[in-house]
Amino acid sequence: MKVLKFGGTSVGSAVNIKKVQEIVSGQSTDVVVVVSALGGITDKIVNAAKMAALGSDFYQDELEAIRERHFDVVTELFERPSGVMEEIGPLLQELEQVMMGVTLVNELTPKTMDRLLGMGERLSSLIISRYFGCELKDASGFILTDSQFGKATVDFAKTNAQIKSCFEQFHGVAIVPGFVAKNKAGEYTTLGRGGSDYTAAIIAAALDVDSLEIWTDVDGFMTADPKVIRKAYTIPVLSYTEAMELSNFGAKVIYPPTILPVYKKGIPVHIKNTLRPEADGTLITQSVANGRERPIKGISSISRIALLTVQGIGMVGVAGISMRLFTALAKEKINVILISQASSENTISIAIEEHSAEVAEEAIRKEFAHEIASDQINKVVVENNLSIVAIVGENMKHSTGIAGKLFTTIGRNGINVSAIAQGASEYNISWVVRNEDLRKTLNVVHESFFLSENVELNIFLIGVGLVGSHLLAQIARQHERLLNENHLNLKITGIANSRKMVFDRDGIDVANFKNLLSESEKMSKVSEFISEMISMNMYNSVFVDCTASGEIARQYHRILDANVSVVTANKIAASSEYENYALLKKTAKQKGVKFLFETNVGAGLPIINTLNDLVNSGDKVLRIEAVLSGTLNFIFNTLSDKIPFSKAVRMAKDAGYSEPDPRIDLSGVDVVRKLLILARESGYRIDKDDVRINSFIPEHYFEGSTDDFWAKLPELDQSFESRRKELSGKGMKWRFVASFEEGHAEVGLLEIGQQHPFYDLEGSNNLIIYRTERYNEFPMLIKGYGAGADVTAAGVFADIIKVSNI
């Protein structure tokens, strides 16, 4: 035998009732079907009762709506509805008469309310039993309770005996109204919240059935709220303990006390979806073997929470403080959801429903008035706008490091925890966060504990010129491979160019980003872009800077301080004043995020990453010698008797090798920045003024506008050509070289002979030579493309992927 329970949504319409019939008729055993009221009917009854108690005639409008709803369902279900309408007529008349009585006395007692509340189930069960053509068994005839109206207590000894007697000769299908019962005086009572589930569990336990199926409008227990986490999925199996823990902390699939009768009997509970009967649902059993790879089963949360903290040195070692605290709250019927107490005993924090906060504070101040007056208790504080989050899993007690991983992950994403609680059973860990951090917390934890198959990065990109557009194209090309092979989902959630910006929490279509930007009504402002990114408060956020803007670079500290990683092709921040560079590195470390700028030197070459590995492994950098400007190397490799200096510079600009203003490259400023970065990453404190620049172009060429520069540049062509011929005759080449040794830094144009590694550098290639304590006799050389939008974008791309490995 089975017991099946169908909720209000499951029987909310004629179409759904027909689906219920299909489900019931497909059973291969005797079935007891417990039904709730038609969806929304109970709320209408409550509204009507409240209006009636106020003496308002508007209750009649609600009654009319209730009548029409039932008549509509009957009309849709039956070819000849008149007979069923006659049967439900007396029940509707009873409902109207009770309401009229409430109006006359202007009073709505709990006893009357219980009689009214049960009318929805009595009506729905009658209609469904007639449609199914099966027996109707009235739960109020065999479930006996006390007279605590609103949440009556069941007399199980007598109820179980009456259930067994009622179903002794039963075979086939029986319909039972949920929620309703009677006391010894024959007066209607109700079973409180989750009453229909409770009815089903009571019957299932009394009859020792094979299973209890609770049919609702969801597929079962989810790993998290799917409205918040799109990647949440149905949990196939839970233990009773796990199911009750998840329900206690916000999972609204079942109400924990209602399954207590079947829990005691060890009867499995199956949660199924009426609208998707083919879905597997969630099976709840006595104990579940939970693999070590899944130490937690799910995450639940409760919003609109207040945290009340009582603190004082006078609480330490004093017996009865906790008892008095909870007694004072119990007198006000305030439910305590979470308790967190310092081991020193001088602080107790309790989480309660927000609407109870004022009453709770008043009750505690009254109870401890003497201690407050004498400063034994110096703080009674209420903090509102909070949420409780809980992770649940029986296997947590067998897995070390869960709490450490949990709070490290939360902290790294900038989420502040107000209170923590964990029971000795280790079935759950609960903590309190701000409401605005709830979505972020749920996503971070869901992903961190591998409840999500993929790691997701939320990318905010500013700058979609050559490098930025190449980056987007590379992300688009590699997206499927990264998702399938690396389980990494790169989601572009914000993009800005110099004119417009656009944001989308669900991800921006990369193929259409240009149209989205042009159609956007949001004008591009750096501070507003960053403010919007921070206010979106998304987990695993990465700010990507593909510009050369000093204004944007000055915002890095603000971004890192908001627990957002920074990946940048912009050299300005890492080559700014040493104090600012050090602050950025320190902030990133403190916040547990990344500040990555591999492409600041050598575009996509692994120059900085290799240097970091050397230093972090204990090696010491003794000397750096490098050709770091792909632009200058391209220019000097391109010079010939047919290509003058001015044309070579223009070609470098058109090819995307140079900075937007080529004078930055020609002045040596760009190389100085790169050398500063390498020296600093080697562990040396150095600033721009410490670098000697040997310029090869007269200073006045750098004055004025870029147009002025381009106009004057051909003046240098003849001088460079004559010097080039002379150099070529000696079998030498020009290379703009950066060097650092023993604190001395210098950049300048050198004449390089054929025996030097720099001589054979082609095109825009870079070459870096590291001489270290380990690599002294035979220095380390790194060589390759050092400029170009595509390779620079590839380097930025690589840094973005590194962020996912935090």
Side-chain angles (χ1 to χ4, degrees):
M1 180 184 289
K2 280 185 181 180
V3 174
L4 278 62
K5 179 265 174 177
F6 292 90
T9 303
S10 298
V11 295
S13 66
V15 172
N16 285 359
I17 291 172
K18 290 176 182 179
K19 290 181 180 179
V20 170
Q21 186 191 36
E22 292 177 9
I23 292 167
V24 173
S25 62
Q27 303 297 321
S28 58
T29 185
D30 298 329
V31 178
V32 178
V33 180
V34 177
V35 297
S36 299
L38 302 184
I41 289 299
T42 301
D43 289 339
K44 289 186 176 298
I45 291 174
V46 171
N47 290 338
K50 289 179 178 178
M51 286 188 282
L54 294 172
S56 170
D57 289 338
F58 287 113
Y59 80 89
Q60 294 178 358
D61 294 337
E62 291 284 14
L63 288 181
E64 182 59 30
I66 292 168
R67 277 192 292 267
E68 287 181 2
R69 176 76 180 283
H70 286 90
F71 285 166
D72 288 345
V73 169
V74 170
T75 302
E76 288 184 52
L77 288 176
F78 298 91
E79 290 183 8
R80 298 179 180 178
S82 57
V84 179
M85 287 184 175
E86 286 181 10
E87 285 193 83
I88 67 172
L91 290 176
L92 291 170
Q93 188 175 5
E94 179 185 339
L95 177 62
E96 185 173 5
Q97 288 174 346
V98 176
M99 289 286 187
M100 190 177 297
V102 172
T103 303
L104 292 173
V105 298
N106 286 341
E107 184 180 4
L108 182 60
T109 65
K111 174 181 173 180
T112 303
M113 192 61 163
D114 265 11
R115 184 176 177 184
L116 290 169
L117 286 175
M119 294 298 299
E121 280 73 12
R122 291 166 63 194
L123 283 161
S124 65
S125 60
L126 175 57
I127 294 170
I128 293 170
S129 68
R130 297 300 181 261
Y131 180 67
F132 284 14
C134 64
E135 186 177 356
L136 172 64
K137 291 185 178 290
D138 185 3
S140 66
F142 51 74
I143 296 181
L144 183 67
T145 71
D146 62 12
S147 297
Q148 186 180 346
F149 298 104
K151 190 179 180 181
T153 301
V154 176
D155 182 336
F156 278 100
K158 292 182 179 179
T159 294
N160 289 342
Q162 290 177 172
I163 290 172
K164 290 175 182 177
S165 174
C166 181
F167 288 90
E168 188 174 6
Q169 303 299 322
F170 167 71
H171 291 289
V173 177
I175 304 297
V176 177
F179 189 49
V180 295
K182 282 184 179 177
N183 60 15
K184 292 179 181 179
E187 298 165 323
Y188 280 105
T189 59
T190 60
L191 300 180
R193 178 184 169 189
S196 291
D197 287 355
Y198 198 21
T199 300
I202 291 167
I203 296 171
L207 298 178
D208 278 319
V209 301
D210 299 322
S211 67
L212 166 62
E213 294 181 2
I214 296 179
W215 291 79
T216 179
D217 59 349
V218 295
D219 286 349
F221 277 88
M222 307 291 285
T223 52
D225 184 350
K227 294 177 182 176
V228 178
I229 300 177
R230 292 171 300 156
K231 295 178 286 185
Y233 58 85
T234 306
I235 305 171
V237 185
L238 288 171
S239 69
Y240 286 113
T241 301
E242 289 170 333
M244 286 193 277
E245 289 285 354
L246 285 170
S247 298
N248 275 327
F249 285 96
K252 298 177 181 178
V253 181
I254 57 171
Y255 182 51
T258 63
I259 64 169
L260 189 59
V262 289
Y263 167 68
K264 290 179 178 179
K265 287 289 188 76
I267 297 170
V269 179
H270 208 163
I271 310 297
K272 298 278 285 179
N273 189 344
T274 309
L275 307 180
R276 282 182 9 101
E278 72 280 2
D280 292 334
T282 299
L283 180 64
I284 304 171
T285 62
Q286 283 280 30
S287 184
V288 180
N290 187 8
R292 293 294 174 89
E293 75 281 4
R294 289 289 187 271
I296 68 172
K297 284 292 189 68
I299 311 167
S300 276
S301 63
I302 308 173
S303 300
R304 293 183 291 277
I305 292 298
L307 190 68
L308 196 157
T309 300
V310 181
Q311 181 179 337
I313 197 70
M315 298 166 59
V316 178
V318 179
I321 291 288
S322 296
M323 181 195 71
R324 289 172 58 194
L325 174 65
F326 295 117
T327 299
L329 296 173
K331 286 179 181 177
E332 300 296 335
K333 297 183 179 180
I334 294 171
N335 180 43
V336 176
I337 304 169
L338 176 145
I339 304 165
S340 180
Q341 182 171 14
S343 57
S344 62
E345 300 182 36
N346 74 330
T347 303
I348 299 177
S349 294
I350 57 170
I352 57 178
E353 292 175 325
E354 203 168 59
H355 65 80
S356 302
E358 189 175 336
V359 175
E361 182 181 6
E362 186 178 339
I364 289 172
R365 288 188 179 279
K366 182 178 179 181
E367 175 65 32
F368 294 100
H370 173 71
E371 288 83 356
I372 293 171
S374 59
D375 269 347
Q376 294 178 51
I377 290 178
N378 54 30
K379 184 186 288 185
V380 179
V381 178
V382 174
E383 187 179 356
N384 291 305
N385 302 314
L386 301 173
S387 297
I388 296 176
V389 185
I391 56 172
V392 173
E394 282 194 350
N395 201 49
M396 286 200 296
K397 60 186 175 185
H398 302 302
S399 304
T400 59
I402 296 295
K405 179 180 179 181
L406 171 69
F407 293 111
T408 297
T409 303
I410 290 172
R412 191 174 64 231
N413 279 274
I415 300 164
N416 185 52
V417 175
S418 301
I420 303 169
Q422 181 177 18
S425 65
E426 298 184 55
Y427 290 142
N428 90 52
I429 301 175
S430 314
W431 64 100
V432 179
V433 299
R434 296 174 301 176
N435 282 339
E436 58 263 36
D437 285 333
L438 178 59
R439 175 187 288 270
K440 190 177 188 180
T441 303
L442 292 172
N443 276 282
V444 164
V445 176
H446 194 272
E447 185 167 289
S448 176
F449 285 92
F450 307 104
L451 292 174
S452 298
E453 183 180 354
N454 304 313
V455 174
E456 188 170 272
L457 291 185
N458 294 294
I459 298 169
F460 294 85
L461 171 64
I462 192 162
V464 288
L466 281 172
V467 174
S469 58
H470 275 78
L471 174 63
L472 289 173
Q474 290 176 16
I475 289 174
R477 286 197 301 270
Q478 297 295 324
H479 187 269
E480 288 302 315
R481 184 188 66 80
L482 287 171
L483 192 61
N484 296 330
E485 297 179 14
N486 299 67
H487 300 290
L488 175 61
N489 182 27
L490 300 182
K491 188 172 69 175
I492 310 296
T493 42
I495 295 180
N497 59 20
S498 59
R499 298 176 302 280
K500 300 284 189 72
M501 57 187 185
V502 62
F503 299 89
D504 191 333
R505 181 177 287 275
D506 294 324
I508 294 168
D509 179 9
V510 174
N512 195 37
F513 82 90
K514 291 182 180 178
N515 289 333
L516 292 172
L517 279 173
S518 64
E519 294 168 4
S520 174
E521 296 181 358
K522 291 188 175 182
M523 303 307 294
S524 184
K525 292 184 179 179
V526 173
S527 59
E528 291 183 10
F529 182 88
I530 294 168
S531 294
E532 180 70 18
M533 175 184 70
I534 293 172
S535 67
M536 286 174 74
N537 203 21
M538 298 187 74
Y539 72 106
N540 289 354
S541 291
V542 187
F543 177 81
V544 180
D545 180 7
C546 288
T547 75
S549 166
E551 180 187 4
I552 296 171
R554 287 189 289 274
Q555 296 288 331
Y556 288 178
H557 182 260
R558 177 188 174 195
I559 296 167
L560 293 167
D561 198 48
N563 292 83
V564 176
S565 291
V566 171
V567 170
T568 180
N570 185 343
K571 293 180 276 290
I572 293 176
S575 62
S576 62
E577 295 77 7
Y578 182 85
E579 286 74 14
N580 184 59
Y581 159 83
L583 176 64
L584 296 177
K585 299 277 285 188
K586 179 181 178 181
T587 303
K589 186 176 181 179
Q590 287 177 338
K591 294 293 182 176
V593 294
K594 296 281 189 176
F595 175 39
L596 300 176
F597 42 88
E598 178 66 67
T599 57
N600 282 192
V601 183
L605 293 176
I607 294 172
I608 295 175
N609 189 52
T610 302
L611 184 58
N612 292 154
D613 288 343
L614 290 171
V615 173
N616 292 337
S617 63
D619 203 354
K620 182 179 180 181
V621 177
L622 303 176
R623 176 177 171 82
I624 298 172
E625 191 176 12
V627 172
L628 296 173
S629 175
T631 305
L632 294 179
N633 209 46
F634 174 85
I635 290 170
F636 292 123
N637 278 330
T638 304
L639 283 178
S640 69
D641 55 353
K642 295 180 180 179
I643 302 177
F645 180 72
S646 60
K647 185 176 180 180
V649 174
R650 176 70 72 176
M651 289 170 67
K653 170 72 165 57
D654 293 342
Y657 292 143
S658 76
E659 294 289 332
D661 183 350
R663 290 178 295 181
I664 296 175
D665 297 284
L666 296 171
S667 67
V669 170
D670 187 58
V671 175
V672 169
R673 289 172 177 170
K674 294 174 181 179
L675 184 59
L676 277 176
I677 292 168
L678 292 181
R680 289 170 175 179
E681 291 293 291
S682 300
Y684 295 91
R685 183 186 180 108
I686 184 172
D687 268 309
K688 183 172 64 175
D689 293 340
D690 300 323
V691 183
R692 180 181 175 184
I693 302 176
N694 299 312
S695 299
F696 62 91
I697 292 179
E699 190 66 31
H700 69 271
Y701 281 88
F702 301 103
E703 298 171 356
S705 67
T706 53
D707 290 338
D708 295 336
F709 165 75
W710 287 115
K712 291 187 292 185
L713 192 59
E715 298 172 3
L716 297 171
D717 289 348
Q718 185 175 351
S719 171
F720 268 98
E721 175 57 18
S722 61
R723 290 160 60 193
R724 185 196 67 77
K725 285 181 179 179
E726 181 182 345
L727 194 66
S728 179
K730 294 190 294 185
M732 303 180 79
K733 293 181 180 180
W734 276 317
R735 295 289 179 255
F736 196 82
V737 178
S739 62
F740 176 81
E741 185 174 12
E742 296 181 352
H744 175 73
E746 185 173 1
V747 301
L749 191 63
L750 300 181
E751 297 177 353
I752 301 296
Q754 296 180 12
Q755 303 304 313
H756 198 286
F758 292 158
Y759 182 85
D760 290 323
L761 275 179
E762 299 295 333
S764 64
N765 282 2
N766 281 188
L767 175 60
I768 292 85
I769 303 173
Y770 289 140
R771 189 180 298 275
T772 72
E773 289 181 344
R774 291 184 194 144
Y775 295 88
N776 196 343
E777 184 178 357
F778 299 102
M780 179 184 289
L781 279 71
I782 302 173
K783 178 181 178 181
Y785 288 121
D790 200 43
V791 291
T792 303
V796 173
F797 197 174
D799 273 353
I800 291 171
I801 293 173
K802 287 174 192 171
V803 174
S804 69
N805 298 323
I806 290 179

